[in-house]
Amino acid sequence: MSDLGDHPVNEGKSGFDSARIAEVKSWLVSQFESVGKDVPDFEYTTRSISHLHSLACISQAKTQAAGIVASDLRQKAMEYRSQAARIREILQSIGLAQEGLPPNAVTSVQVVANVANLLNIRDTEMSSFLVAMADISLRKSGVEEKRANVQKESKVLLDYTRKAISRLTYLKRTLGQLEDDVATCEGQMNHWKTNLTIMLSKECQYLQQFSNYKALLNRVGYTSDISHGELVEMDEHRKELVKKTKPIMDTLRSYQDLPPDKALAALAIEEKRRQYAAAEKYLEEVLHSALATSE
């Protein structure tokens, strides 16, 4: 894409461009003539004319401001010279002309004048010196106060810096220790991972066993309402029934030694069966009563 701002300017294009080019040329001539040189030849483009016109406007404004300030300073200088002439006439009329004063007095006056200029006061009266000295004292006090505050802040910052350096050293040492412990920790983590895998498999196994045991207890009629005390009581009843049925079982076993008398043997067996049935019925009643009490 071509730069449309760098094409040569046609001076007959518009009155505005012509006036701007004339102002630029006039300003360039005045600037180069002030240093005794000729304006160099160059191509006038839209961009160069715009840039030079901006410089010319800024230069003319600053030149005008400098002229105003210089005129004011020249007027003040004339007033100071006229005032100095009047003061010189007054001093000569009373016999205090500079030529008639001893060198020590001239030196003292010059010192007083230099001190007045240093203190930036308009006269050499005692009150002006006192006011200026008081102002310097106030400034000195302010500077000393600021200096004390800066020193205090510097001490605080130095303390913070020392603590930060100490903390940084501690953190670096801790980092080194942690880096040294990485291998050990990785080995321990691998061991924990292995144990975790084993524990997960055990958990699945135990959950399956718990489910199986729960189903088994449900099949035999065990519920969570049966407490340990009730189980102990039922076990005691079972022991009593076993104790009662043991003589019967012993008697039945003794029948194995009887003579082969079929009728007596049948009667004895029938009697023992009735006794055994009665014992079983009593055991069932006790179990049912225990379960009913627990519910």
Side-chain angles (χ1 to χ4, degrees), residues 177-228:
Q177 294 176 356
L178 292 176
E179 289 177 351
D180 295 337
D181 295 340
V182 167
T184 306
C185 293
E186 287 180 351
Q188 190 173 5
M189 287 178 64
N190 293 330
H191 179 67
W192 288 347
K193 286 181 180 179
T194 304
N195 292 339
L196 182 60
T197 304
I198 297 172
M199 292 174 67
L200 288 175
S201 62
K202 290 291 184 181
E203 181 184 7
C204 295
Q205 179 182 353
Y206 293 154
L207 289 174
Q208 185 63 37
Q209 291 179 358
F210 175 76
S211 178
N212 295 335
Y213 292 149
K214 188 175 181 180
L216 179 61
L217 292 174
N218 290 331
R219 283 199 300 272
V220 299
Y222 175 80
T223 61
S224 59
D225 297 333
I226 300 176
S227 63
H228 178 71

Side-chain angles (χ1 to χ4, degrees), residues 15-87:
F16 177 74
D17 290 339
S18 300
R20 179 174 289 188
I21 292 172
E23 291 179 4
V24 170
K25 287 183 178 180
S26 175
W27 177 73
L28 289 175
V29 170
S30 63
Q31 295 299 316
F32 279 92
E33 284 183 353
S34 63
V35 294
K37 294 183 180 181
D38 296 332
V39 179
D41 296 331
F42 63 93
E43 184 179 5
Y44 289 95
T45 63
T46 304
R47 178 177 295 179
S48 63
I49 290 299
S50 177
H51 184 64
L52 290 173
H53 186 266
S54 298
L55 292 177
C57 293
I58 295 172
S59 177
Q60 290 172 358
K62 290 185 176 180
T63 301
Q64 185 177 3
I68 294 172
V69 173
S71 176
D72 182 64
L73 292 176
R74 282 192 294 269
Q75 184 177 359
K76 289 181 179 180
M78 292 175 60
E79 293 176 357
Y80 291 152
R81 281 195 292 269
S82 62
Q83 186 176 2
R86 287 195 300 272
I87 294 174

Side-chain angles (χ1 to χ4, degrees), residues 12-295:
K13 182 179 180 182
S14 65
F16 177 74
D17 290 339
S18 300
R20 179 174 289 188
I21 292 172
E23 291 179 4
V24 170
K25 287 183 178 180
S26 175
W27 177 73
L28 289 175
V29 170
S30 63
Q31 295 299 316
F32 279 92
E33 284 183 353
S34 63
V35 294
K37 294 183 180 181
D38 296 332
V39 179
D41 296 331
F42 63 93
E43 184 179 5
Y44 289 95
T45 63
T46 304
R47 178 177 295 179
S48 63
I49 290 299
S50 177
H51 184 64
L52 290 173
H53 186 266
S54 298
L55 292 177
C57 293
I58 295 172
S59 177
Q60 290 172 358
K62 290 185 176 180
T63 301
Q64 185 177 3
I68 294 172
V69 173
S71 176
D72 182 64
L73 292 176
R74 282 192 294 269
Q75 184 177 359
K76 289 181 179 180
M78 292 175 60
E79 293 176 357
Y80 291 152
R81 281 195 292 269
S82 62
Q83 186 176 2
R86 287 195 300 272
I87 294 174
R88 189 179 300 108
E89 290 176 359
I90 293 171
L91 292 175
Q92 287 178 356
S93 64
I94 61 176
L96 294 177
Q98 183 177 357
E99 295 79 6
L101 295 175
N104 294 335
V106 175
T107 303
S108 300
V109 172
Q110 290 178 351
V111 169
V112 171
N114 292 332
V115 172
N117 291 329
L118 181 63
L119 296 177
N120 195 20
I121 57 179
R122 302 176 63 89
D123 51 48
T124 57
E125 294 183 0
M126 182 62 68
S127 59
S128 300
F129 278 104
L130 292 176
V131 171
M133 293 300 294
D135 184 53
I136 290 177
S137 298
L138 291 175
R139 292 181 182 179
K140 180 182 178 183
S141 300
V143 171
E144 289 178 351
E145 184 178 357
K146 290 181 180 179
R147 181 179 180 184
N149 293 332
V150 170
Q151 288 180 351
K152 186 183 298 183
E153 293 177 357
S154 299
K155 290 180 180 179
V156 173
L157 291 176
L158 181 60
D159 188 23
Y160 286 161
T161 304
R162 289 174 179 173
K163 291 181 180 179
I165 293 173
S166 177
R167 187 66 177 175
L168 178 61
T169 304
Y170 171 74
L171 291 176
K172 287 183 177 179
R173 184 168 60 253
T174 305
L175 178 61
Q177 294 176 356
L178 292 176
E179 289 177 351
D180 295 337
D181 295 340
V182 167
T184 306
C185 293
E186 287 180 351
Q188 190 173 5
M189 287 178 64
N190 293 330
H191 179 67
W192 288 347
K193 286 181 180 179
T194 304
N195 292 339
L196 182 60
T197 304
I198 297 172
M199 292 174 67
L200 288 175
S201 62
K202 290 291 184 181
E203 181 184 7
C204 295
Q205 179 182 353
Y206 293 154
L207 289 174
Q208 185 63 37
Q209 291 179 358
F210 175 76
S211 178
N212 295 335
Y213 292 149
K214 188 175 181 180
L216 179 61
L217 292 174
N218 290 331
R219 283 199 300 272
V220 299
Y222 175 80
T223 61
S224 59
D225 297 333
I226 300 176
S227 63
H228 178 71
E230 294 173 353
L231 293 174
V232 172
E233 184 178 357
M234 293 173 65
D235 183 64
E236 291 177 354
H237 287 295
R238 184 188 65 81
K239 289 180 180 179
E240 292 178 0
L241 293 175
V242 170
K243 188 183 296 184
K244 291 180 179 180
T245 57
K246 185 176 181 181
I248 299 173
M249 295 299 294
D250 293 339
T251 304
L252 290 174
R253 291 190 187 93
S254 66
Y255 288 162
Q256 296 177 359
D257 300 332
L258 293 176
D261 188 346
K262 186 175 180 181
L264 293 176
L267 291 174
I269 291 171
E270 187 66 24
E271 180 66 21
K272 296 301 180 183
R273 283 179 179 176
R274 284 196 302 270
Q275 293 178 1
Y276 188 75
E280 286 184 348
K281 184 177 181 181
Y282 178 72
L283 178 60
E284 289 179 359
E285 291 177 355
V286 171
L287 291 174
H288 283 300
S289 64
L291 291 174
T293 302
S294 64
E295 292 178 357

